[in-house]
Amino acid sequence: MPYLVSVGGNALKGRHAEMSKLAFFLSRIIGNGKVVLTHGNGPQVGAIESAMPETKLGVATAMTQAEIGIRLKEGVLFGFEHNSGRKDLRIDVLITEVFVKETRHDMKPVKPIGSYYKTRKEALGELGSVSLASYVKGYRRVVPSPEPLRLARPDSLHALLECNDIVIAGGGGGVPVIETGRGREIAECVVDKDYTSAMIAQEIGSSIMYIFTDVDGVYEGFGTKKQRLIERISAKEAKDMKEGGELEMGSMEPKVSAAARFAERTGGIGVIANLLKPESALSLSGCTVIYSSN
């Protein structure tokens, strides 16, 4: 059975502890099936945009797919050899394009990129006149983020998965492309990797979708003294949380929505867990499991 494993950009940041935990988790499931590994790129694509403002967001995503992809590959290979002594792991990186609806200038920016700032004044002083959103951890720049429609080349994904143990794909939600009268063009937006991950999980026939982040799962009352981890929740209940405004837009909201969508469409489960606690995902405890309402 193939698995879909998704890792958030904030949960990675190139740190050794996170990479080691990811390799440990993958080593425990790889014997049961192949893996498509997706990753976020919010902090990284924001850094590129700040350093090179003329770079299109879609192009910046392609750059991060290559950079983060190769770092993930090397980190996972090292972790496998360290954890199990295995040196024959086959792993490759796919620069992935996804079709999106054409972005409009009036599209509401919802996807956070770049670093957190403590105050709005600090963020605007550093970034200039951009759209900002407030989160529990601070302020971040937000940009348009249309949902992915389909993979541009699903055959490439299947071909690589056929001859590898792990394929790193869909990084940063994929390079967004649109069809125009002039042909295919890269769009000026960022696709949320959670929606693309759910689409890929369905494409490869997975029955379980793991989403790793930097918190233990979905919380009721997140950021308050009364916050409580929700360990099991139906897709319908998850949708109610979203509609009730209980989930941070562009942060936990797309993770929950994507996992719920995957569960409803496939009858499988979506698991949201802390990357530093992979045992929770393996045991399906101390994390959040989203299951079909049907």
Side-chain angles (χ1 to χ4, degrees), residues 211-217 271-275 277 280-281 286-288:
I211 301 177
F212 284 107
T213 184
D214 55 359
V215 294
D216 290 352
V271 180
I272 301 175
N274 193 325
L275 182 56
K277 300 177 181 179
S280 295
C287 59
T288 297

Side-chain angles (χ1 to χ4, degrees), residues 59-287:
V59 174
T61 293
M63 294 167 69
T64 62
Q65 282 192 3
E67 179 188 2
I68 299 173
I70 200 67
R71 288 184 178 181
L72 272 173
K73 177 179 178 178
E74 295 305 314
V76 169
L77 285 171
F78 177 83
F80 259 75
E81 185 173 348
H82 177 75
N83 285 324
S84 62
R86 182 175 176 180
K87 299 181 180 181
D88 62 344
L89 186 74
R90 299 170 301 169
I91 181 170
D92 216 336
V93 182
L94 176 64
I95 302 300
T96 313
E97 292 179 315
V98 297
F99 283 107
V100 299
K101 288 184 178 180
E102 187 169 0
T103 54
R104 306 183 310 273
H105 292 297
D106 61 347
M107 180 177 285
K108 182 180 178 181
V110 295
K111 175 64 180 173
I113 64 172
S115 302
Y116 285 98
Y117 294 88
K118 291 182 179 179
T119 65
R120 184 179 182 86
K121 182 179 180 180
E122 180 188 4
L124 292 174
E126 181 72 23
L127 301 173
S129 181
V130 298
S131 297
L132 297 174
S134 175
Y135 298 92
V136 172
K137 296 179 183 178
Y139 288 86
R140 288 181 82 184
R141 181 188 175 189
V142 286
V143 297
S145 182
E147 287 196 23
L149 299 175
R150 66 186 189 279
L151 296 173
R153 289 291 305 275
D155 55 325
S156 296
L157 175 63
H158 286 290
L160 276 181
L161 195 58
E162 181 70 25
C163 58
N164 285 279
D165 300 303
I166 299 173
V167 175
I168 300 169
V175 180
V177 293
I178 55 175
E179 292 283 13
T180 72
R182 299 180 298 276
R184 185 183 299 180
E185 293 184 3
I186 296 177
E188 181 62 5
C189 60
V190 173
V191 182
D192 195 287
K193 61 96 181 169
D194 297 309
Y195 291 118
T196 298
S197 297
M199 186 171 64
I200 291 176
Q202 191 170 353
E203 173 69 32
I204 64 175
S206 180
S207 63
I208 185 165
M209 173 184 176
Y210 294 100
I211 301 177
F212 284 107
T213 184
D214 55 359
V215 294
D216 290 352
V218 183
Y219 283 86
E220 182 181 3
F222 181 66
T224 70
K225 292 181 179 180
K226 294 183 179 181
Q227 70 176 25
R228 178 184 68 86
L229 178 66
I230 301 171
E231 294 205 20
R232 288 186 64 82
I233 184 172
S234 71
K236 182 182 183 306
E237 291 169 328
K239 183 180 179 180
D240 290 342
M241 286 190 72
K242 173 185 175 180
E243 293 178 350
E246 297 180 57
L247 305 169
E248 282 192 322
M249 292 294 293
S251 181
M252 186 56 74
E253 182 274 323
K255 294 175 176 59
V256 172
S257 295
R261 179 182 300 177
F262 169 74
E264 290 284 57
R265 290 181 177 178
T266 67
I269 59 171
V271 180
I272 301 175
N274 193 325
L275 182 56
L276 291 177
K277 300 177 181 179
E279 298 87 352
S280 295
L282 291 169
S283 64
L284 301 182
S285 63
C287 59

Side-chain angles (χ1 to χ4, degrees), residues 15-82:
R15 293 176 290 195
H16 175 73
E18 284 80 354
M19 198 69 73
S20 177
K21 294 293 187 180
L22 176 60
F24 167 81
F25 176 79
L26 292 172
S27 71
R28 293 302 183 272
I29 66 171
I30 201 69
N32 299 318
K34 299 189 175 189
V35 174
V36 173
L37 176 62
T38 66
H39 63 81
N41 71 343
Q44 297 86 355
V45 80
I48 291 174
E49 242 269 317
S50 295
M52 298 182 288
E54 73 282 359
T55 305
K56 276 191 172 184
L57 288 169
V59 174
T61 293
M63 294 167 69
T64 62
Q65 282 192 3
E67 179 188 2
I68 299 173
I70 200 67
R71 288 184 178 181
L72 272 173
K73 177 179 178 178
E74 295 305 314
V76 169
L77 285 171
F78 177 83
F80 259 75
E81 185 173 348
H82 177 75

